[in-house]
Amino acid sequence: MKSPYSETVLEHFRHPHNVGKIENADGKAIEGSPACGDMVSVYINVHPDTKTITDIKFESYGCASNIATGSIITELAKGKTLDEAKKISWKQASDALGGLPKIKAHCSVLAVEGLRSAIENYEESHGLIKERIPTTLEIVRARLRKVMNPMAGLDLVRTNLVQDIEIDKGTVRVVVNLPEDHQFTPAIKEEIIEKIKPLWDIKEVIVEFTQ
Amino acid sequence: MLDKTTVYLDNSAATRLDERVLEAMQPYFFDKYAVATSEFAYSQGIEARESLDNAREILASNLGAAPDEFIFTSGSTESSNIALKGVALALDNKKGKHLITSKIEDFPVLNSAKALEKQGFQVTYLDVDSDGFVILDKLRESITKETILVSIQHANQEIGTIQDIEQIGHICREKDVLFHTDATHTFTRIPLDVKNIPVDLITVAGHTIHGPKGIGGLYIRQGTAIAKWIDGGFQEYDLRAGLENIPGAIGFARASELITPQETEQLQKMRDHIITRILSEIPDTTLNGHRWQRLPQNANISFHFIEGESITLHLDMHGFAVSTGSACFSRSLEGSHVIFGIGGDHERAHGSIRFTFGRFNNMNDVNNLVQVLTEIVKELRSISPLGKEKQEEKE
């Protein structure tokens, strides 16, 4: 069979590791939504003293790269400390899978996000995070680094597509350097809103295109 | 990989060439390779001209049209481009700048309309109902004195819904507006006679009927205002320049002759069988498009809580080729505009699978597919975070 995916991706897609749910997990998170085409839930159990991940499971509503990344990320995170696991990047996951097609970056980055969010969820619920800070340009930019540019397989910030960001009384305005009728504008717009809207003090997200 | 063991159920994307079509085409590659424009220079040119005209006559008669109302193109994309842009160019300064189409048209029509918008034309994109039908009253209301063309497909490429083009044609005729229909998926399968149905332009193509790729046609009713879009020589009644694709035209005509009502009935049986089996045997499935007013070769079903690309990839591993309306599958990362058009949400679009049948499929294929698919759906649902409560209730 010929496939745009590597043998490793196909293997993890066919037989994903660590699939399922952990009842009363120490930390859990859901990233994505049916609207963006992919969704992933990550559950972790953490050793209270060593802060290592003792058990990890995931569920996926998504395409092959989403399922395979969920599988590999749980393998990579198992046994690691929270600080180590937080640093696992999409690039590491992709490399461990023998590479992913560029256009699929946005589907697979979700699993990485899911792991980080599950760790944050654990830290929040166990009093390891200080009080909430107001959203700054830096925070928005950091979130935009999680939005993939499907043409490059790299994020929007890195590929210089973010022209401007403004924050004003709970409204974030992002200007993207792409024509309004570009093939990927609807997908990119949706993803930007999805990443920024959950910030606790943001009520509205406006995405504009340059032409 | 397509091999003898692959069951190809994506016949609306492409079809396997029939050997008899290849046989008819073969001489035009090796012995009779002259082009029709050289008919006044040497006898091979005359033969080429005769063969081309014969093919044209066969195809035109399929639509009840005269041969000089049918031009060859490179496929349905080009045909629809010529129809929309050619009429727009011809009537721009004479009648108006308004076109009407539907939200669920195939991309050649939709994107030609969008291109015309950039040139200053206005386009109305009609909503369709939950089965995919254009609402005739809405169409009637949308036509203005400025309207130059209505373009509504004969049947939908994804969900198979067949429009009432006879009524649509009458409405256009009443209001004195030209009517184009994209018949890429109905040509030779569902009768369309221009003597009974008031349609002015029809897009057809060879790739959907076990003919060659790269050959299509456009019916243009005599007297229709249309400007030349592809410039060059004087071929195709001076409406479409370019070297004639004679082997393609011969193959297209031969393919049209090989379609029989018995075969179409057979496709319809497979369609009905797969719809009945999936809807009754696999829970949480929805049929997209109308149950009966649909293409005989098309079934389109959404599988809830799971994503289409995962389904197609698993099916591919089992030797079945199908397509999906999922965003993950498309180059634009957007879910099917057709499923959105009929009021479906993202989940319904992402989980939609299209099965389209052709000459080389049989009932065994359908039964084997349903068996494999049942397992795949169960497997993918077991790893999906969606619909869990609902699934557990059932267990």
Side-chain angles (χ1 to χ4, degrees), chain A residues 1 5 10 13-14 19 34-35 37-39 41 59-64 67 103-104 106 150 181 183-184 186 190, chain B residues 1 118 305-307 309-310 313-314 316-317 328-334 346-347 350 380 382-386 388:
Chain A
M1 204 190 84
Y5 296 114
L10 291 178
F13 168 65
R14 247 182 305 226
V19 167
D38 291 281
M39 189 172 151
S41 318
E59 292 174 307
S60 158
Y61 162 84
C63 59
I67 293 172
I103 195 164
K104 295 291 183 182
H106 84 117
D181 59 355
Q183 163 191 17
F184 290 122
E190 220 164 73
Chain B
M1 191 175 73
K118 281 193 184 160
F305 320 132
I306 51 179
E307 191 276 327
E309 195 223 45
S310 287
L313 192 54
H314 269 297
D316 186 32
M317 289 169 174
C328 280
F329 188 73
S330 78
R331 297 304 297 177
S332 66
L333 299 174
E334 277 182 276
H346 284 90
E347 198 210 330
H350 296 319
L380 287 173
S382 78
I383 70 169
S384 169
L386 293 178
K388 274 277 148 62

Side-chain angles (χ1 to χ4, degrees), chain A residues 144-165:
Chain A
L144 290 175
R145 282 182 203 280
K146 299 173 182 176
V147 179
M148 284 293 164
N149 166 3
M151 289 161 282
L154 296 169
D155 68 82
L156 290 190
V157 178
R158 223 174 129 180
T159 51
N160 294 323
L161 284 187
V162 180
Q163 195 173 62
D164 197 18
I165 306 169

Side-chain angles (χ1 to χ4, degrees), chain A residues 53-102:
Chain A
I53 295 175
T54 53
D55 195 9
I56 178 163
K57 287 209 175 340
F58 84 103
E59 292 174 307
S60 158
Y61 162 84
C63 59
S65 52
N66 183 269
I67 293 172
T69 315
S71 174
I72 200 80
I73 209 93
T74 53
E75 284 297 308
L76 292 173
K78 212 181 243 182
K80 295 251 164 57
T81 65
L82 295 182
D83 285 334
E84 288 167 342
K86 249 192 270 185
K87 288 189 194 122
I88 297 171
S89 65
W90 175 77
K91 179 79 172 54
Q92 275 170 287
S94 169
D95 287 348
L97 287 169
L100 284 163
K102 275 183 200 165

Side-chain angles (χ1 to χ4, degrees), chain A residues 18 21-23 25-27 42-47 52-58 74 77-80 115:
Chain A
N18 308 310
K21 201 182 224 170
I22 301 177
E23 293 300 331
D26 296 337
V42 178
Y43 305 86
I44 52 169
N45 276 345
V46 179
H47 192 283
T52 51
I53 295 175
T54 53
D55 195 9
I56 178 163
K57 287 209 175 340
F58 84 103
T74 53
K78 212 181 243 182
K80 295 251 164 57
L115 172 63

Side-chain angles (χ1 to χ4, degrees), chain B residues 95-333:
Chain B
K95 195 175 176 204
K97 279 182 171 291
H98 180 232
L99 291 88
I100 300 173
T101 183
S102 86
K103 284 190 176 155
I104 64 168
E105 296 295 313
D106 210 345
F107 291 112
V109 167
L110 274 186
N111 288 341
S112 291
K114 281 186 194 156
L116 287 169
E117 277 185 296
K118 281 193 184 160
Q119 303 294 323
F121 287 83
Q122 287 90 48
V123 181
T124 302
Y125 299 92
L126 292 173
D127 285 322
V128 293
D129 69 14
S130 59
D131 284 325
F133 292 110
V134 165
I135 302 148
L136 298 181
D137 284 337
K138 286 268 162 63
L139 167 64
R140 210 174 271 123
E141 287 163 19
S142 303
I143 298 176
T144 70
K145 275 186 199 144
E146 288 272 297
T147 310
I148 52 175
L149 180 74
V150 170
S151 177
I152 304 286
Q153 59 193 183
H154 192 189
N156 187 265
Q157 63 285 357
E158 287 182 35
I159 59 169
T161 300
I162 301 167
Q163 302 290 344
D164 188 349
I165 56 164
E166 191 169 351
Q167 282 304 317
I168 294 171
H170 282 299
I171 292 170
C172 294
R173 201 40 62 87
E174 257 168 53
K175 305 251 185 185
D176 198 24
V177 173
L178 292 176
F179 174 39
H180 164 250
T181 194
D182 175 0
T184 305
H185 300 283
T186 55
F187 183 57
T188 68
R189 295 277 183 215
I190 298 169
L192 198 181
D193 190 324
V194 297
K195 291 196 289 295
N196 308 323
I197 297 181
V199 48
D200 303 293
L201 299 134
I202 305 171
T203 290
V204 297
H207 72 278
T208 49
I209 57 170
H210 303 286
K213 297 168 184 70
I215 186 81
L218 180 66
Y219 161 76
I220 306 171
R221 187 180 289 275
Q222 211 166 33
T224 300
I226 191 157
K228 191 171 180 178
W229 185 249
I230 308 241
D231 289 304
F234 300 100
Q235 294 91 345
E236 299 301 304
Y237 306 103
D238 198 18
L239 278 169
R240 191 262 188 190
L243 197 68
E244 300 98 347
N245 176 0
I246 294 183
I250 303 290
F252 187 10
R254 184 73 187 118
S256 77
E257 290 176 324
L258 295 172
I259 304 278
T260 62
Q262 291 75 21
E263 178 181 278
T264 303
E265 202 177 302
Q266 204 48 42
L267 301 186
Q268 189 160 325
K269 277 187 188 151
M270 287 189 262
R271 171 197 84 182
D272 291 339
H273 190 61
I274 198 168
I275 291 176
T276 310
R277 278 203 66 183
I278 290 178
L279 294 185
S280 66
E281 293 174 31
I282 304 182
D284 298 308
T285 44
T286 307
L287 178 70
N288 297 311
H290 192 267
R291 178 65 187 87
W292 306 109
Q293 274 295 102
R294 70 185 301 132
L295 283 172
Q297 69 269 34
N298 171 298
N300 187 315
I301 293 171
S302 286
F303 298 84
H304 299 281
F305 320 132
I306 51 179
E307 191 276 327
E309 195 223 45
S310 287
I311 304 175
T312 60
L313 192 54
H314 269 297
L315 281 174
D316 186 32
M317 289 169 174
H318 285 89
F320 294 94
V322 300
S323 83
T324 168
S326 170
C328 280
F329 188 73
S330 78
R331 297 304 297 177
S332 66
L333 299 174

